[in-house]
Amino acid sequence: MLGLLPSMTTEPVPDIPLKIKPPEHIIELTRLYSDIIALVVLGQEQPILLKGGEKTILGRYSPGEVTPSVDLTPYNANLLGVSRKHATITRAETGYLLEDLDSTNGTWLNENKLLANTPTPVQSGELIRLGQLGLYVYFDMSHSH
């Protein structure tokens, strides 16, 4: 029964590179809307579509805490080592920035570990890994002003 309750701690997970290619139709989708970010969790058909706000928090829900913008709990976030507030994607003049929020298992961009609390430019189509949860990010910057 305990396994069903949201965990207050983040489990350490092994650091293994992920090798999975994203579905093509997502890329087409983001071309239609300049302010949409599509996150494709590895192994999932349906993308998570976000209205590209100023700041998006990726993490998992924990009772009594502010729910992250993107709650990855349904994707086994707890088992895969995702922290409650794991990382942010922030809109910037030049595109989007990915930042690790000093998470337990780290944030990786194309299998390069990010320094905690250091915004790093992210390109559309790149692989973000939160602990062992991988997701591709897509957005269209061609219309940005």
Side-chain angles (χ1 to χ4, degrees), residues 86 88 98-103 107 114-120:
H86 197 109
T88 59
L98 176 66
E99 182 176 348
D100 177 71
L101 300 176
D102 207 11
S103 62
T107 301
L114 301 186
L115 292 169
N117 306 311
T118 307
T120 305

Side-chain angles (χ1 to χ4, degrees), residues 12 21 24 30 32 34 46-47 52 56 61 79 82-83 108 128 137:
K21 283 284 161 260
E24 284 299 316
T30 54
L32 299 174
S34 59
Q46 290 302 315
T56 301
Y61 172 72
L79 292 173
V82 177
S83 294
W108 307 74
I128 296 172
V137 60

Side-chain angles (χ1 to χ4, degrees), residues 15 31 37 47 58 78 124 131:
D15 169 29
R31 288 207 183 109
I37 302 175
L58 307 176
N78 195 23
S124 185

Side-chain angles (χ1 to χ4, degrees), residues 36-124:
I36 287 212
I37 302 175
L39 298 174
V40 182
V41 176
L42 299 186
Q44 299 293 321
E45 268 303 302
Q46 290 302 315
I48 301 167
L49 296 178
L50 305 169
K51 200 104 172 74
E54 294 307 303
K55 190 174 206 172
T56 301
I57 298 174
L58 307 176
R60 60 181 171 78
Y61 172 72
S62 181
E65 300 218 358
V66 176
T67 305
S69 320
V70 177
D71 178 12
L72 296 166
T73 306
Y75 306 101
N76 290 327
N78 195 23
L79 292 173
L80 294 170
V82 177
S83 294
R84 285 166 291 176
K85 288 188 181 69
H86 197 109
T88 59
I89 297 176
T90 309
R91 192 182 187 113
E93 293 282 310
T94 53
Y96 287 94
L97 298 172
L98 176 66
E99 182 176 348
D100 177 71
L101 300 176
D102 207 11
S103 62
T104 303
N105 289 299
T107 301
W108 307 74
L109 182 61
N110 299 322
E111 298 306 338
N112 295 307
K113 188 168 190 183
L114 301 186
L115 292 169
N117 306 311
T118 307
T120 305
V122 59
Q123 306 299 320
S124 185

Side-chain angles (χ1 to χ4, degrees), residues 17-32:
L18 303 170
K19 295 179 178 60
I20 301 175
K21 283 284 161 260
E24 284 299 316
H25 63 275
I26 308 301
I27 302 160
E28 298 303 319
L29 190 67
T30 54
R31 288 207 183 109
L32 299 174

